[in-house]
Amino acid sequence: VEIQFLPANKFVTAKIGDPLTEVAKTAGIEVQYKCMKGECGTCEINVNGKWIKACQSTVPPLSDGLEFINITVKPKVEAKAKKSATFFSPQSFADGVVNNALGVVGFVATAAKADTAFEERMKREAALAAKVEANKAKKDTTKK
């Protein structure tokens, strides 16, 4: 079966059932892969108008009326390398100071609110302890 790889416009002959990965390699066509299990979809190619995963597919039979199989491969996309950031840049230092200052303000505000609640809780606990002592004293006098 004659196969045409686009956009490179390369022709290669292969047998029906040959793995598409091997056919592409023979033609010098680079198909991107990641998982090689058909899960990630990185290796998708267009075979006669239908997107399939190259790592899991074989050369299909020739459809009626076609002279060859058309395979379009996605172009390889080069990732642009980012310039690495300086670890202790003035901006990162300033951001850290601001972040820490906001944290301290939040901590102080929470502690100030908690102080009044703490005092109220301590008063209630003292009142409860006094009631318990009174009940114990009452029980002790009734037993005698």
Side-chain angles (χ1 to χ4, degrees):
V1 176
E2 195 75 21
I3 298 175
Q4 178 187 23
F5 283 97
L6 297 172
N9 202 29
K10 287 189 178 179
F11 283 87
V12 68
T13 303
K15 295 179 188 172
I16 294 171
D18 282 350
L20 285 174
T21 54
E22 295 300 319
V23 174
K25 191 184 290 184
T26 303
I29 302 296
E30 187 177 345
V31 178
Q32 293 180 345
Y33 301 100
K34 278 191 183 173
C35 70
M36 292 299 289
K37 298 177 193 173
E39 295 172 356
C40 70
T42 303
C43 65
E44 281 189 336
I45 59 175
N46 190 315
V47 178
N48 291 335
K50 182 180 176 189
W51 289 98
I52 62 171
K53 294 172 180 139
C55 67
Q56 299 294 308
S57 303
T58 58
V59 174
L62 198 58
S63 300
D64 292 334
L66 294 179
E67 296 177 21
F68 52 85
I69 297 173
N70 236 340
I71 298 179
T72 304
V73 179
K74 290 190 234 177
K76 186 174 182 178
V77 177
E78 295 292 331
K80 293 180 182 176
K82 291 183 179 178
K83 181 182 173 191
S84 62
T86 307
F87 187 69
F88 288 116
S89 69
Q91 182 63 46
S92 68
F93 183 78
D95 289 345
V97 168
V98 169
N99 192 29
N100 286 337
L102 290 174
V104 168
V105 168
F107 181 76
V108 169
T110 303
K113 289 178 188 174
D115 279 347
T116 56
F118 179 76
E119 293 297 325
E120 289 174 19
R121 193 177 82 203
M122 298 299 353
K123 288 177 185 175
R124 283 193 306 251
E125 285 186 21
L128 184 61
K131 282 184 183 179
V132 168
E133 286 299 318
N135 284 343
K136 280 185 182 179
K138 195 184 230 182
K139 282 184 184 179
D140 286 344
T141 56
T142 53
K143 283 185 182 178
K144 292 182 183 182

